[in-house]
PDB file of all heavy atoms in Angstrom:
ATOM      1  N   VAL A  40       0.086 149.704 213.386  1.00 96.00           N
ATOM      2  CA  VAL A  40       1.193 150.334 213.855  1.00 96.00           C
ATOM      3  C   VAL A  40       2.443 150.034 212.978  1.00 96.00           C
ATOM      4  O   VAL A  40       2.592 148.947 212.521  1.00 96.00           O
ATOM      5  CB  VAL A  40       1.456 149.947 215.396  1.00 96.00           C
ATOM      6  CG1 VAL A  40       2.750 150.528 215.925  1.00 96.00           C
ATOM      7  CG2 VAL A  40       0.238 150.495 216.169  1.00 96.00           C
ATOM      8  N   VAL A  51      18.140 165.080 201.345  1.00 98.00           N
ATOM      9  CA  VAL A  51      18.447 164.185 200.169  1.00 98.00           C
ATOM     10  C   VAL A  51      17.189 164.074 199.353  1.00 98.00           C
ATOM     11  O   VAL A  51      17.305 164.119 198.028  1.00 98.00           O
ATOM     12  CB  VAL A  51      18.943 162.788 200.509  1.00 98.00           C
ATOM     13  CG1 VAL A  51      19.140 161.860 199.384  1.00 98.00           C
ATOM     14  CG2 VAL A  51      20.171 162.832 201.404  1.00 98.00           C
ATOM     15  N   CYS A  68       5.306 161.939 196.281  1.00 97.00           N
ATOM     16  CA  CYS A  68       6.002 161.921 197.643  1.00 97.00           C
ATOM     17  C   CYS A  68       5.065 161.468 198.781  1.00 97.00           C
ATOM     18  O   CYS A  68       3.925 161.846 198.816  1.00 97.00           O
ATOM     19  CB  CYS A  68       6.276 163.557 197.895  1.00 97.00           C
ATOM     20  SG  CYS A  68       7.146 163.741 199.434  1.00 97.00           S
ATOM     21  N   ILE A  94      -5.386 161.413 196.483  1.00 93.00           N
ATOM     22  CA  ILE A  94      -4.139 162.112 196.184  1.00 93.00           C
ATOM     23  C   ILE A  94      -4.363 163.574 196.878  1.00 93.00           C
ATOM     24  O   ILE A  94      -5.421 164.067 196.855  1.00 93.00           O
ATOM     25  CB  ILE A  94      -4.199 162.504 194.532  1.00 93.00           C
ATOM     26  CG1 ILE A  94      -4.103 161.217 193.890  1.00 93.00           C
ATOM     27  CG2 ILE A  94      -3.032 163.387 194.148  1.00 93.00           C
ATOM     28  CD1 ILE A  94      -4.159 161.513 192.293  1.00 93.00           C
ATOM     29  N   GLY A  98       0.988 171.975 195.955  1.00 97.00           N
ATOM     30  CA  GLY A  98       1.828 172.969 195.244  1.00 97.00           C
ATOM     31  C   GLY A  98       3.305 172.343 195.231  1.00 97.00           C
ATOM     32  O   GLY A  98       3.509 171.274 195.428  1.00 97.00           O
ATOM     33  N   ARG A 105       8.537 169.318 204.616  1.00 97.00           N
ATOM     34  CA  ARG A 105       9.080 169.757 205.845  1.00 97.00           C
ATOM     35  C   ARG A 105       9.475 168.457 206.604  1.00 97.00           C
ATOM     36  O   ARG A 105      10.236 168.584 207.659  1.00 97.00           O
ATOM     37  CB  ARG A 105       8.173 170.605 206.715  1.00 97.00           C
ATOM     38  CG  ARG A 105       7.886 171.978 206.105  1.00 97.00           C
ATOM     39  CD  ARG A 105       9.226 172.789 206.164  1.00 97.00           C
ATOM     40  NE  ARG A 105       8.888 174.115 205.601  1.00 97.00           N
ATOM     41  CZ  ARG A 105       9.235 174.459 204.468  1.00 97.00           C
ATOM     42  NH1 ARG A 105       9.663 173.517 203.621  1.00 97.00           N
ATOM     43  NH2 ARG A 105       8.962 175.590 203.876  1.00 97.00           N
ATOM     44  N   ALA A 106       9.112 167.331 206.303  1.00 97.00           N
ATOM     45  CA  ALA A 106       9.385 166.043 207.050  1.00 97.00           C
ATOM     46  C   ALA A 106      10.298 165.106 206.091  1.00 97.00           C
ATOM     47  O   ALA A 106      10.515 165.373 204.963  1.00 97.00           O
ATOM     48  CB  ALA A 106       8.037 165.386 207.327  1.00 97.00           C
ATOM     49  N   SER A 140       9.912 149.630 190.079  1.00 88.00           N
ATOM     50  CA  SER A 140       8.962 148.610 190.589  1.00 88.00           C
ATOM     51  C   SER A 140       8.072 148.049 189.421  1.00 88.00           C
ATOM     52  O   SER A 140       7.895 146.958 189.234  1.00 88.00           O
ATOM     53  CB  SER A 140       8.027 149.274 191.604  1.00 88.00           C
ATOM     54  OG  SER A 140       7.343 150.302 191.183  1.00 88.00           O
ATOM     55  N   LEU A 141       7.529 148.983 188.666  1.00 85.00           N
ATOM     56  CA  LEU A 141       6.983 148.562 187.372  1.00 85.00           C
ATOM     57  C   LEU A 141       7.637 149.482 186.266  1.00 85.00           C
ATOM     58  O   LEU A 141       8.308 150.392 186.577  1.00 85.00           O
ATOM     59  CB  LEU A 141       5.433 148.884 187.503  1.00 85.00           C
ATOM     60  CG  LEU A 141       4.610 147.977 188.298  1.00 85.00           C
ATOM     61  CD1 LEU A 141       3.280 148.461 188.579  1.00 85.00           C
ATOM     62  CD2 LEU A 141       4.644 146.657 187.796  1.00 85.00           C
ATOM     63  N   ASP A 163      13.690 138.426 212.062  1.00 97.00           N
ATOM     64  CA  ASP A 163      14.272 138.479 213.359  1.00 97.00           C
ATOM     65  C   ASP A 163      13.139 138.618 214.381  1.00 97.00           C
ATOM     66  O   ASP A 163      13.147 138.020 215.366  1.00 97.00           O
ATOM     67  CB  ASP A 163      15.000 139.729 213.406  1.00 97.00           C
ATOM     68  CG  ASP A 163      16.241 139.696 212.656  1.00 97.00           C
ATOM     69  OD1 ASP A 163      16.786 138.572 212.378  1.00 97.00           O
ATOM     70  OD2 ASP A 163      16.842 140.733 212.371  1.00 97.00           O
ATOM     71  N   ARG A 164      11.949 139.226 213.955  1.00 96.00           N
ATOM     72  CA  ARG A 164      10.763 139.423 215.031  1.00 96.00           C
ATOM     73  C   ARG A 164      10.063 138.086 215.064  1.00 96.00           C
ATOM     74  O   ARG A 164       9.646 137.759 216.243  1.00 96.00           O
ATOM     75  CB  ARG A 164       9.895 140.519 214.385  1.00 96.00           C
ATOM     76  CG  ARG A 164       8.778 140.893 215.318  1.00 96.00           C
ATOM     77  CD  ARG A 164       7.998 142.073 214.772  1.00 96.00           C
ATOM     78  NE  ARG A 164       6.945 142.503 215.657  1.00 96.00           N
ATOM     79  CZ  ARG A 164       7.043 143.382 216.584  1.00 96.00           C
ATOM     80  NH1 ARG A 164       8.229 144.058 216.872  1.00 96.00           N
ATOM     81  NH2 ARG A 164       6.040 143.782 217.459  1.00 96.00           N
ATOM     82  N   PHE A 167      12.241 133.165 212.079  1.00 96.00           N
ATOM     83  CA  PHE A 167      12.567 132.369 211.009  1.00 96.00           C
ATOM     84  C   PHE A 167      13.792 132.879 210.227  1.00 96.00           C
ATOM     85  O   PHE A 167      14.307 133.952 210.539  1.00 96.00           O
ATOM     86  CB  PHE A 167      11.437 132.139 209.961  1.00 96.00           C
ATOM     87  CG  PHE A 167      11.064 133.439 209.206  1.00 96.00           C
ATOM     88  CD1 PHE A 167      11.688 133.779 208.074  1.00 96.00           C
ATOM     89  CD2 PHE A 167      10.041 134.249 209.762  1.00 96.00           C
ATOM     90  CE1 PHE A 167      11.308 134.944 207.373  1.00 96.00           C
ATOM     91  CE2 PHE A 167       9.668 135.388 208.965  1.00 96.00           C
ATOM     92  CZ  PHE A 167      10.174 135.668 207.753  1.00 96.00           C
ATOM     93  N   ARG A 182      15.227 142.292 193.635  1.00 94.00           N
ATOM     94  CA  ARG A 182      16.522 141.759 193.461  1.00 94.00           C
ATOM     95  C   ARG A 182      16.971 141.351 194.811  1.00 94.00           C
ATOM     96  O   ARG A 182      17.425 140.161 195.062  1.00 94.00           O
ATOM     97  CB  ARG A 182      17.585 142.602 192.728  1.00 94.00           C
ATOM     98  CG  ARG A 182      17.359 142.732 191.301  1.00 94.00           C
ATOM     99  CD  ARG A 182      18.282 143.863 190.850  1.00 94.00           C
ATOM    100  NE  ARG A 182      18.062 145.047 191.333  1.00 94.00           N
ATOM    101  CZ  ARG A 182      18.596 146.209 190.994  1.00 94.00           C
ATOM    102  NH1 ARG A 182      19.561 146.173 190.150  1.00 94.00           N
ATOM    103  NH2 ARG A 182      18.392 147.366 191.635  1.00 94.00           N
ATOM    104  N   ASP A 211       3.625 133.145 184.497  1.00 88.00           N
ATOM    105  CA  ASP A 211       3.302 134.439 184.827  1.00 88.00           C
ATOM    106  C   ASP A 211       1.902 134.641 185.599  1.00 88.00           C
ATOM    107  O   ASP A 211       1.244 133.713 185.721  1.00 88.00           O
ATOM    108  CB  ASP A 211       3.408 135.469 183.601  1.00 88.00           C
ATOM    109  CG  ASP A 211       2.305 135.013 182.552  1.00 88.00           C
ATOM    110  OD1 ASP A 211       1.268 134.546 182.801  1.00 88.00           O
ATOM    111  OD2 ASP A 211       2.609 135.319 181.304  1.00 88.00           O
ATOM    112  N   LEU A 219      -0.016 128.337 191.801  1.00 90.00           N
ATOM    113  CA  LEU A 219       0.306 126.907 191.466  1.00 90.00           C
ATOM    114  C   LEU A 219       1.535 126.509 192.375  1.00 90.00           C
ATOM    115  O   LEU A 219       1.597 125.412 192.875  1.00 90.00           O
ATOM    116  CB  LEU A 219       0.751 126.798 190.083  1.00 90.00           C
ATOM    117  CG  LEU A 219      -0.305 127.012 189.039  1.00 90.00           C
ATOM    118  CD1 LEU A 219       0.174 127.076 187.517  1.00 90.00           C
ATOM    119  CD2 LEU A 219      -1.351 125.905 189.091  1.00 90.00           C
ATOM    120  N   TYR A 224       3.168 123.138 196.983  1.00 78.00           N
ATOM    121  CA  TYR A 224       3.707 123.188 198.391  1.00 78.00           C
ATOM    122  C   TYR A 224       2.816 122.491 199.451  1.00 78.00           C
ATOM    123  O   TYR A 224       3.151 121.670 200.168  1.00 78.00           O
ATOM    124  CB  TYR A 224       4.141 124.506 198.947  1.00 78.00           C
ATOM    125  CG  TYR A 224       4.716 124.449 200.325  1.00 78.00           C
ATOM    126  CD1 TYR A 224       5.795 123.905 200.674  1.00 78.00           C
ATOM    127  CD2 TYR A 224       3.858 125.071 201.327  1.00 78.00           C
ATOM    128  CE1 TYR A 224       6.253 123.785 202.106  1.00 78.00           C
ATOM    129  CE2 TYR A 224       4.319 125.077 202.626  1.00 78.00           C
ATOM    130  CZ  TYR A 224       5.449 124.464 202.950  1.00 78.00           C
ATOM    131  OH  TYR A 224       5.862 124.538 204.268  1.00 78.00           O
TER     132      TYR A 224
END
Side-chain angles (χ1 to χ4, degrees):
V40 170
V51 181
C68 182
I94 305 174
R105 292 291 179 268
S140 55
L141 291 172
D163 292 341
R164 188 177 182 89
F167 63 89
R182 289 174 302 184
D211 63 26
L219 292 172
Y224 173 71

